[in-house]
Amino acid sequence: MGIEEIVDLKESTELLTDGKAVVTLEFQQALPLGWITFRNSYSATVTVRHRATALDPWTTAIKSRLLMPHPHCIEGAQDPITLSYQMVPSGAFDRVKEVQLELRQPSPHWIKFGVSHLHCFCQPDAPIDDSTLQSAQPSSDVGVLGNLHSEIHTLERTVSAVTSIVAAIAPEFLSVEGGHDTYRIDTLATV
């Protein structure tokens, strides 16, 4: 199956006092969560909590991950970030229905903070219902052009997903070409 982006999710943000905001992601069903990628927007730290059902208590998977080394300075303020299932205890992201990103910014220099370009991806080769993924197949009564359009759309989203992951974990391999969201992935050396 490869890496699949989760597209059927609800996102809500709650801005709290004292430099804290909470972004909640709710998936249509419990899924094996692989990665959460986003672009930081002046958040100093992120804590990730998750649960398998709405009745379960929240479990902390990643506590106070540093996003900005010095909250009063701009370093790290707009970096791409990837949070991986490999960063959490084994099996913690195998069945996730909801995720909370608790963002903190103690500095009074940044009035607004949060995340943007938020994407979630399943663990590779995990068994899941394809209806929640971006590469869901069209019904058989769609004509040849519809299938071609769907394949192109799937390819575009796959390239976008891979670019998001590369931007987060190896931005030195990306270079901007032309527009704001147009990237070229340079040759990656294998280890």
Side-chain angles (χ1 to χ4, degrees):
M1 175 186 292
I3 300 171
E4 302 287 341
E5 183 174 0
I6 304 164
V7 295
D8 194 0
L9 61 92
K10 293 180 196 171
E11 178 184 341
S12 63
T13 302
E14 182 180 1
L15 299 175
L16 306 172
T17 58
D18 71 353
K20 179 177 165 183
V22 177
V23 177
T24 303
L25 306 172
E26 182 182 350
F27 307 115
Q28 183 179 9
Q29 65 181 19
L31 298 166
L33 184 60
W35 296 271
I36 302 169
T37 66
F38 57 86
R39 181 160 304 275
N40 188 18
S41 183
Y42 302 93
S43 299
T45 63
V46 62
T47 294
V48 180
R49 293 184 180 86
H50 66 92
R51 59 185 177 184
T53 71
L55 301 176
D56 291 341
W58 290 101
T59 303
T60 301
I62 300 171
K63 185 165 177 66
S64 299
R65 182 180 187 273
L66 192 63
L67 303 178
M68 293 175 66
H70 309 285
H72 302 290
C73 301
I74 200 162
E75 182 182 355
Q78 297 180 356
D79 287 353
I81 306 295
T82 295
L83 305 173
S84 170
Y85 70 101
Q86 296 163 332
M87 300 168 75
V88 302
S90 180
F93 274 3
D94 286 354
R95 185 171 147 73
V96 176
K97 172 84 164 115
E98 291 180 282
V99 174
Q100 280 188 341
L101 304 176
E102 179 184 291
L103 307 167
R104 293 204 176 253
Q105 178 47 271
S107 175
H109 295 316
W110 316 115
I111 297 170
K112 292 183 180 181
F113 64 94
V115 297
S116 63
H117 301 91
L118 183 64
H119 300 278
C120 295
F121 302 91
C122 285
Q123 293 177 21
D125 302 320
I128 51 176
D129 175 13
D130 285 345
S131 67
T132 59
L133 304 176
Q134 72 180 17
S135 64
Q137 298 298 316
S139 63
S140 60
D141 60 353
V142 176
V144 173
L145 290 178
N147 286 335
L148 180 59
H149 175 73
S150 175
E151 292 297 320
I152 291 170
H153 185 67
T154 298
L155 180 59
E156 287 171 344
R157 287 184 174 263
T158 301
V159 168
S160 175
V162 169
T163 301
S164 294
I165 291 172
V166 170
I169 60 176
E172 64 274 13
F173 291 111
L174 292 178
S175 58
V176 177
E177 287 186 351
H180 176 285
D181 287 333
T182 305
Y183 297 100
R184 180 174 58 84
I185 299 177
D186 294 329
T187 305
L188 298 173
T190 55
V191 178

